[in-house]
Amino acid sequence: MVELLGEDGQVIGNQPKATVHTTDTPLHRAFSVHLVAPDGRVMLTRRALGKVTWPGDWTNACCGHPAPGESDVEAIHRRTATELNIPADAVGAPRAAIPGFRYRAVDASGIVENEVCPVYVADLLVGPADLPAPNPEEVMDVAWAEWPHLREALTTVPFAFSPWLVRHVETPVLDELLVR
């Protein structure tokens, strides 16, 4: 279930996730998280080709929808385990980077994303070589980049990335949190 939101950001109901993303998607609650390796590189994931929206696009480490009543931090740990097979004890405490992030974007198929989607940063407590393979139904590839290089790619070839990740660079706070 996904929590539906009014224009004021307050929860107004719930809807099954399988039915919420359409050509007329209602505003709903989500999250994005950037995972940072001990060496300072940022994880990028390439969305599996079976994803409903933006299949095959590169994006931040993990995104998802908190269940009704679930905190963003609980949802981050649940989704990093589901999508990336990373256990909660391998992810440091998520820090809110862009708490009020909201976006609306339309996929080439016409499916709309319409989300209040706070952006978090969390440190990985293990190195990339120690991570298991991600869930192939969610992620088809993983890459690691230094934030300045990723930032440049996002502004140079935005079409290769999810629209929410491209919009993340509009907020300079990530520059402060992701440059080591």
Side-chain angles (χ1 to χ4, degrees):
M1 296 296 282
V2 173
E3 288 186 323
L4 304 180
L5 303 174
E7 284 301 315
D8 62 358
Q10 297 301 309
V11 176
I12 59 170
N14 300 313
Q15 186 171 335
K17 182 183 174 213
T19 65
V20 77
H21 294 102
T22 66
T23 56
D24 189 31
T25 302
L27 183 63
H28 61 279
R29 191 169 158 233
F31 72 86
S32 284
V33 64
H34 292 270
L35 296 179
V36 184
D39 65 6
R41 292 179 299 156
V42 178
M43 176 188 267
L44 292 167
T45 59
R46 188 168 177 209
R47 294 171 61 81
L49 294 178
K51 298 293 272 185
V52 172
T53 57
W54 288 275
D57 283 12
W58 287 95
T59 195
N60 52 291
C62 184
C63 299
H65 302 89
E70 183 180 40
S71 74
D72 288 352
V73 170
E74 291 168 329
I76 288 168
H77 287 296
R78 177 177 53 81
R79 291 304 301 166
T80 54
T82 300
E83 289 187 25
L84 303 170
N85 291 318
I86 299 174
D89 63 356
V91 178
R95 304 176 303 283
I98 313 171
F101 185 75
R102 179 179 174 177
Y103 77 98
R104 184 181 187 282
V106 182
D107 183 75
S109 69
I111 301 294
V112 174
E113 288 279 9
N114 186 19
E115 299 179 338
V116 172
C117 186
V119 178
Y120 291 84
V121 172
D123 294 322
L124 283 171
L125 306 177
V126 298
D130 298 319
L131 294 174
N135 177 345
E137 293 180 14
E138 300 282 347
V139 174
M140 63 185 290
D141 203 359
V142 173
W144 297 88
E146 294 179 14
W147 178 250
H149 297 150
L150 175 55
R151 185 181 228 301
E152 182 179 348
L154 290 165
T155 57
T156 305
V157 289
F159 53 84
F161 299 95
S162 69
W164 55 91
L165 179 56
V166 172
R167 296 252 334 264
H168 290 177
V169 299
E170 296 172 3
T171 306
V173 69
L174 286 178
D175 292 337
E176 299 165 17
L177 293 173
L178 297 174
V179 174
R180 306 253 169 125

